[in-house]
Amino acid sequence: MKKGYRNIIVAVAVIITFSSCKKFLTTELTDPKQTTLSYYKKPSEAYTALVGCYNGLNQIYNNDAIPALLEVFSDNSFGATGAFDGYGWQMMDEFDKSVSPSDISVHSGGWNAYYQTIYRCNVLLQNMDKVAWGDSTALRIKYAAEAKFIRAYCYLDLVRLFENVPLVITPTIANVPQADPEATFTQIMTDLREAADSLPSASYQSVPSGRVTKWAAESLLARAYLFYSGLYGKATIANETAATALAAVEDVIAHGGHSLVNDFTTLWPAASTAKNVAYAGENNPEVVFAIKYSSTDNWSPDATGNRWMVMEGIRSQSIYPYQAGWGACTVDPKFWNLYPSTDTRRFATIMSIADENLPYTKSSECREYTGYFMKKYAMQCDKDGNSLVSNFQTGQSQDFFAVRYSDVLLMAAELGSPNAVSYYNQVHHRADPTTAPAVAVSKADILAERRLEFAGEGLRYWDLLRQGIDVAASTIAANTTVSYFQDGTANPPNASKLQANIKATRGFQQIPNDQITLASGVLKQNAGW
């Protein structure tokens, strides 16, 4: 296995396993030899449990392809997938459960995985004092900070996806009612501040690959603050303000040891292969935090292959260097046209069938075919069309770059840094060296740059929603194309209906129906669903 901290995932899977078929937060210990009463004795056992927390992040996106779905929610991509299947993706694309052939719970796997990961973090945090730390008290502080970061990461996803979610900070299998989002954001900010203040100020190069750093905690804190303050119009949450959020990312810039890679294309494996340039690697200095994957070619619950990448694979046909997959996230041609031809991000981000002269013959099998697919997380094949891994669905090993340094620079610019123009120019000039440097930048400039920079990485939708539901609804509604009913007949685009749907749901997702049933009425469905 290529990731060092994964060498004991099997052990933690034996110690702590999960079931989602009985209660909405059901968790049970299945090894009679190990329980929380007997297990947490040594620092090495706490470390094993921490590995389980990290492994939970693998499982979340493998159970609910959130990075890909966020592109579908936004104005970048369509649901797509197969011509006569994938109705769950169409439902989420159009914020409309009526397009689904059945009352499905599309986010059920993800919901379970988020709360399973939170449970792991809560168990570890609750049992810290049972460990005989001896001379390793610094490890206790560090492990607790990492667990709090992972918990905050999960809750930030949950509150942005569903808004009204149970807030659970101690291990429990009870049905917990939904919390006010302000309480959830308060916990997120508290966890991230404690993590940032507790983790050592170690340089990026000295931190083991994949582990949470002080810089990751400060970066996520700024991201959470920008979303909360933007959507809810409040300047303070848990004593965090625009000034403290700015100070956090300025600290990352000044002391984190991060930098931009010279060539944007080299950040992405498929783009690097297509351009015949060297891939910068998963541990390049631009990565502030990544969810790590490794090539494990099986479907076991704790396998660490990147299974969500298959959704974005070009539909039904492998064409070097792109491996076939399920054809989700076809890109809006209007978005392709926003990139100047001199912007290196266009080629690195989007696969253009015509511009790359790809002999694609399966367009009739792809719903909402546009001629453009997402490339950053495209799977790869060899020149004979064979997958580079033994199981293309389960064996992908590309990490998900959850936070990149360019995001830190643009967040600092948006938060009002006196160096805003310099930070903006670093990102923009790296992408397009032919352009003249900006002499001033507005928030609109920064948001426009963010769209071009982070397309395919799941940030655009949050950037829209934090501008307010009216902005998000009207912007996304302008992104419509033909979809299909079950019988294959055309369903003409209806921008006004899409806009109304987004406003009715306030941009939040459907809480899985099966979870509402399992919670015996404790959970309430979000508006519009």
Side-chain angles (χ1 to χ4, degrees), residues 36-66:
T36 56
L37 295 177
S38 64
Y39 184 72
Y40 290 90
K41 300 297 183 183
K42 299 179 292 185
S44 61
E45 293 171 338
Y47 175 73
T48 301
L50 179 63
V51 172
C53 299
Y54 277 100
N55 178 248
L57 293 177
N58 295 132
Q59 306 316 312
I60 290 167
Y61 292 164
N62 281 341
N63 279 281
D64 199 357
I66 296 299

Short mmCIF file of all heavy atoms in Angstrom, two decimals, residues 36-66:
data_model
loop_
_atom_site.label_atom_id
_atom_site.label_comp_id
_atom_site.label_asym_id
_atom_site.label_seq_id
_atom_site.Cartn_x
_atom_site.Cartn_y
_atom_site.Cartn_z
N THR A 36 -14.42 -0.91 23.84
CA THR A 36 -13.85 0.36 24.26
C THR A 36 -13.39 0.31 25.72
O THR A 36 -12.58 1.12 26.14
CB THR A 36 -14.88 1.49 24.10
OG1 THR A 36 -16.07 1.14 24.82
CG2 THR A 36 -15.21 1.70 22.64
N LEU A 37 -13.91 -0.66 26.51
CA LEU A 37 -13.49 -0.77 27.90
C LEU A 37 -12.10 -1.38 28.02
O LEU A 37 -11.35 -1.07 28.95
CB LEU A 37 -14.50 -1.63 28.68
CG LEU A 37 -15.92 -1.05 28.81
CD1 LEU A 37 -16.82 -2.04 29.55
CD2 LEU A 37 -15.88 0.28 29.55
N SER A 38 -11.74 -2.26 27.09
CA SER A 38 -10.47 -2.96 27.20
C SER A 38 -9.41 -2.49 26.20
O SER A 38 -8.23 -2.77 26.37
CB SER A 38 -10.69 -4.47 26.97
OG SER A 38 -11.15 -4.70 25.65
N TYR A 39 -9.84 -1.75 25.21
CA TYR A 39 -8.90 -1.48 24.11
C TYR A 39 -8.00 -0.28 24.35
O TYR A 39 -6.79 -0.35 24.14
CB TYR A 39 -9.67 -1.29 22.80
CG TYR A 39 -8.72 -1.10 21.63
CD1 TYR A 39 -7.98 -2.17 21.17
CD2 TYR A 39 -8.54 0.14 21.05
CE1 TYR A 39 -7.08 -2.02 20.13
CE2 TYR A 39 -7.64 0.32 20.00
CZ TYR A 39 -6.91 -0.77 19.54
OH TYR A 39 -6.02 -0.61 18.53
N TYR A 40 -8.54 0.84 24.77
CA TYR A 40 -7.77 2.09 24.81
C TYR A 40 -6.85 2.12 26.03
O TYR A 40 -7.17 2.68 27.08
CB TYR A 40 -8.72 3.29 24.81
CG TYR A 40 -9.43 3.48 23.49
CD1 TYR A 40 -10.64 2.86 23.25
CD2 TYR A 40 -8.88 4.26 22.49
CE1 TYR A 40 -11.29 3.01 22.04
CE2 TYR A 40 -9.51 4.41 21.27
CZ TYR A 40 -10.72 3.79 21.05
OH TYR A 40 -11.36 3.94 19.85
N LYS A 41 -5.67 1.52 25.86
CA LYS A 41 -4.69 1.45 26.94
C LYS A 41 -3.36 2.07 26.55
O LYS A 41 -2.69 2.70 27.38
CB LYS A 41 -4.46 -0.01 27.37
CG LYS A 41 -5.71 -0.73 27.87
CD LYS A 41 -6.28 -0.10 29.14
CE LYS A 41 -7.47 -0.88 29.66
NZ LYS A 41 -8.07 -0.24 30.85
N LYS A 42 -2.94 1.90 25.30
CA LYS A 42 -1.61 2.31 24.86
C LYS A 42 -1.72 3.35 23.75
O LYS A 42 -2.70 3.38 23.01
CB LYS A 42 -0.83 1.10 24.36
CG LYS A 42 -0.61 0.03 25.40
CD LYS A 42 0.16 -1.15 24.83
CE LYS A 42 -0.68 -1.92 23.80
NZ LYS A 42 0.01 -3.13 23.32
N PRO A 43 -0.69 4.21 23.60
CA PRO A 43 -0.70 5.18 22.49
C PRO A 43 -0.85 4.51 21.13
O PRO A 43 -1.49 5.07 20.23
CB PRO A 43 0.66 5.88 22.64
CG PRO A 43 0.97 5.79 24.09
CD PRO A 43 0.44 4.44 24.52
N SER A 44 -0.28 3.33 20.99
CA SER A 44 -0.39 2.64 19.70
C SER A 44 -1.83 2.27 19.39
O SER A 44 -2.24 2.25 18.22
CB SER A 44 0.49 1.38 19.69
OG SER A 44 0.08 0.48 20.70
N GLU A 45 -2.63 1.98 20.43
CA GLU A 45 -4.04 1.66 20.21
C GLU A 45 -4.82 2.92 19.85
O GLU A 45 -5.73 2.88 19.01
CB GLU A 45 -4.61 0.99 21.46
CG GLU A 45 -4.00 -0.38 21.70
CD GLU A 45 -4.39 -0.99 23.03
OE1 GLU A 45 -4.78 -0.24 23.94
OE2 GLU A 45 -4.29 -2.23 23.15
N ALA A 46 -4.48 4.05 20.47
CA ALA A 46 -5.11 5.31 20.08
C ALA A 46 -4.78 5.65 18.64
O ALA A 46 -5.62 6.15 17.88
CB ALA A 46 -4.65 6.43 21.02
N TYR A 47 -3.55 5.35 18.23
CA TYR A 47 -3.15 5.61 16.85
C TYR A 47 -3.96 4.74 15.88
O TYR A 47 -4.42 5.22 14.83
CB TYR A 47 -1.66 5.33 16.67
CG TYR A 47 -1.19 5.46 15.24
CD1 TYR A 47 -1.07 6.71 14.64
CD2 TYR A 47 -0.88 4.34 14.48
CE1 TYR A 47 -0.65 6.84 13.33
CE2 TYR A 47 -0.47 4.45 13.17
CZ TYR A 47 -0.35 5.71 12.60
OH TYR A 47 0.06 5.82 11.30
N THR A 48 -4.16 3.49 16.24
CA THR A 48 -4.97 2.60 15.40
C THR A 48 -6.38 3.16 15.24
O THR A 48 -6.94 3.17 14.14
CB THR A 48 -5.04 1.20 16.01
OG1 THR A 48 -3.73 0.66 16.13
CG2 THR A 48 -5.88 0.27 15.14
N ALA A 49 -6.96 3.66 16.33
CA ALA A 49 -8.29 4.25 16.25
C ALA A 49 -8.28 5.51 15.39
O ALA A 49 -9.24 5.78 14.65
CB ALA A 49 -8.79 4.58 17.65
N LEU A 50 -7.21 6.29 15.47
CA LEU A 50 -7.10 7.49 14.63
C LEU A 50 -7.05 7.12 13.16
O LEU A 50 -7.65 7.79 12.32
CB LEU A 50 -5.85 8.28 15.02
CG LEU A 50 -5.59 9.56 14.22
CD1 LEU A 50 -6.72 10.58 14.42
CD2 LEU A 50 -4.24 10.17 14.62
N VAL A 51 -6.35 6.04 12.84
CA VAL A 51 -6.33 5.55 11.46
C VAL A 51 -7.74 5.25 10.99
O VAL A 51 -8.12 5.51 9.85
CB VAL A 51 -5.43 4.31 11.32
CG1 VAL A 51 -5.57 3.68 9.94
CG2 VAL A 51 -3.97 4.68 11.56
N GLY A 52 -8.55 4.70 11.89
CA GLY A 52 -9.95 4.43 11.55
C GLY A 52 -10.71 5.69 11.22
O GLY A 52 -11.59 5.70 10.35
N CYS A 53 -10.39 6.80 11.90
CA CYS A 53 -11.03 8.08 11.59
C CYS A 53 -10.65 8.53 10.19
O CYS A 53 -11.51 8.97 9.41
CB CYS A 53 -10.63 9.13 12.62
SG CYS A 53 -11.10 8.75 14.32
N TYR A 54 -9.38 8.44 9.87
CA TYR A 54 -8.94 8.81 8.52
C TYR A 54 -9.58 7.91 7.47
O TYR A 54 -10.02 8.37 6.42
CB TYR A 54 -7.42 8.70 8.42
CG TYR A 54 -6.66 9.90 8.93
CD1 TYR A 54 -6.07 9.90 10.19
CD2 TYR A 54 -6.52 11.05 8.15
CE1 TYR A 54 -5.37 10.99 10.67
CE2 TYR A 54 -5.81 12.15 8.61
CZ TYR A 54 -5.24 12.12 9.87
OH TYR A 54 -4.55 13.21 10.34
N ASN A 55 -9.65 6.61 7.76
CA ASN A 55 -10.25 5.68 6.82
C ASN A 55 -11.72 6.00 6.58
O ASN A 55 -12.25 5.78 5.49
CB ASN A 55 -10.10 4.25 7.33
CG ASN A 55 -10.76 3.24 6.42
OD1 ASN A 55 -11.75 2.61 6.80
ND2 ASN A 55 -10.25 3.07 5.21
N GLY A 56 -12.37 6.55 7.60
CA GLY A 56 -13.77 6.95 7.42
C GLY A 56 -13.93 7.96 6.30
O GLY A 56 -14.94 7.95 5.59
N LEU A 57 -12.95 8.86 6.14
CA LEU A 57 -13.03 9.84 5.05
C LEU A 57 -13.01 9.16 3.70
O LEU A 57 -13.66 9.62 2.75
CB LEU A 57 -11.87 10.84 5.16
CG LEU A 57 -11.89 11.77 6.37
CD1 LEU A 57 -10.65 12.66 6.37
CD2 LEU A 57 -13.15 12.64 6.38
N ASN A 58 -12.25 8.07 3.56
CA ASN A 58 -12.29 7.28 2.31
C ASN A 58 -13.72 6.83 2.01
O ASN A 58 -14.20 6.94 0.88
CB ASN A 58 -11.44 6.02 2.42
CG ASN A 58 -9.96 6.26 2.58
OD1 ASN A 58 -9.35 5.68 3.45
ND2 ASN A 58 -9.37 7.11 1.77
N GLN A 59 -14.36 6.31 3.05
CA GLN A 59 -15.65 5.66 2.84
C GLN A 59 -16.77 6.65 2.53
O GLN A 59 -17.72 6.30 1.82
CB GLN A 59 -16.00 4.82 4.06
CG GLN A 59 -14.93 3.83 4.47
CD GLN A 59 -14.34 3.07 3.30
OE1 GLN A 59 -15.06 2.56 2.45
NE2 GLN A 59 -13.01 3.02 3.23
N ILE A 60 -16.68 7.86 3.04
CA ILE A 60 -17.75 8.83 2.81
C ILE A 60 -17.96 9.06 1.33
O ILE A 60 -19.07 8.90 0.80
CB ILE A 60 -17.43 10.15 3.52
CG1 ILE A 60 -17.55 9.98 5.04
CG2 ILE A 60 -18.37 11.26 3.06
CD1 ILE A 60 -16.96 11.13 5.82
N TYR A 61 -16.91 9.45 0.63
CA TYR A 61 -17.08 9.78 -0.79
C TYR A 61 -17.24 8.54 -1.65
O TYR A 61 -17.79 8.60 -2.74
CB TYR A 61 -15.90 10.63 -1.27
CG TYR A 61 -15.86 12.02 -0.66
CD1 TYR A 61 -14.72 12.81 -0.72
CD2 TYR A 61 -16.97 12.55 0.01
CE1 TYR A 61 -14.68 14.08 -0.15
CE2 TYR A 61 -16.94 13.81 0.57
CZ TYR A 61 -15.79 14.57 0.49
OH TYR A 61 -15.75 15.83 1.05
N ASN A 62 -16.77 7.38 -1.15
CA ASN A 62 -17.01 6.15 -1.88
C ASN A 62 -18.46 5.70 -1.76
O ASN A 62 -18.96 4.96 -2.61
CB ASN A 62 -16.09 5.04 -1.37
CG ASN A 62 -14.69 5.17 -1.95
OD1 ASN A 62 -14.49 5.83 -2.96
ND2 ASN A 62 -13.71 4.54 -1.31
N ASN A 63 -19.16 6.10 -0.71
CA ASN A 63 -20.57 5.78 -0.55
C ASN A 63 -21.50 6.82 -1.15
O ASN A 63 -22.67 6.55 -1.39
CB ASN A 63 -20.89 5.60 0.93
CG ASN A 63 -20.50 4.23 1.45
OD1 ASN A 63 -21.20 3.25 1.26
ND2 ASN A 63 -19.33 4.16 2.10
N ASP A 64 -21.01 8.02 -1.36
CA ASP A 64 -21.82 9.10 -1.92
C ASP A 64 -20.83 10.01 -2.64
O ASP A 64 -20.09 10.74 -2.00
CB ASP A 64 -22.54 9.86 -0.81
CG ASP A 64 -23.72 10.67 -1.31
OD1 ASP A 64 -23.95 10.71 -2.53
OD2 ASP A 64 -24.41 11.28 -0.48
N ALA A 65 -20.81 9.98 -3.95
CA ALA A 65 -19.75 10.62 -4.74
C ALA A 65 -19.85 12.14 -4.66
O ALA A 65 -20.09 12.84 -5.65
CB ALA A 65 -19.85 10.16 -6.19
N ILE A 66 -19.63 12.68 -3.47
CA ILE A 66 -19.87 14.09 -3.20
C ILE A 66 -19.06 15.03 -4.11
O ILE A 66 -19.62 15.99 -4.65
CB ILE A 66 -19.60 14.42 -1.72
CG1 ILE A 66 -20.60 13.66 -0.83
CG2 ILE A 66 -19.69 15.92 -1.46
CD1 ILE A 66 -22.05 14.02 -1.09
#
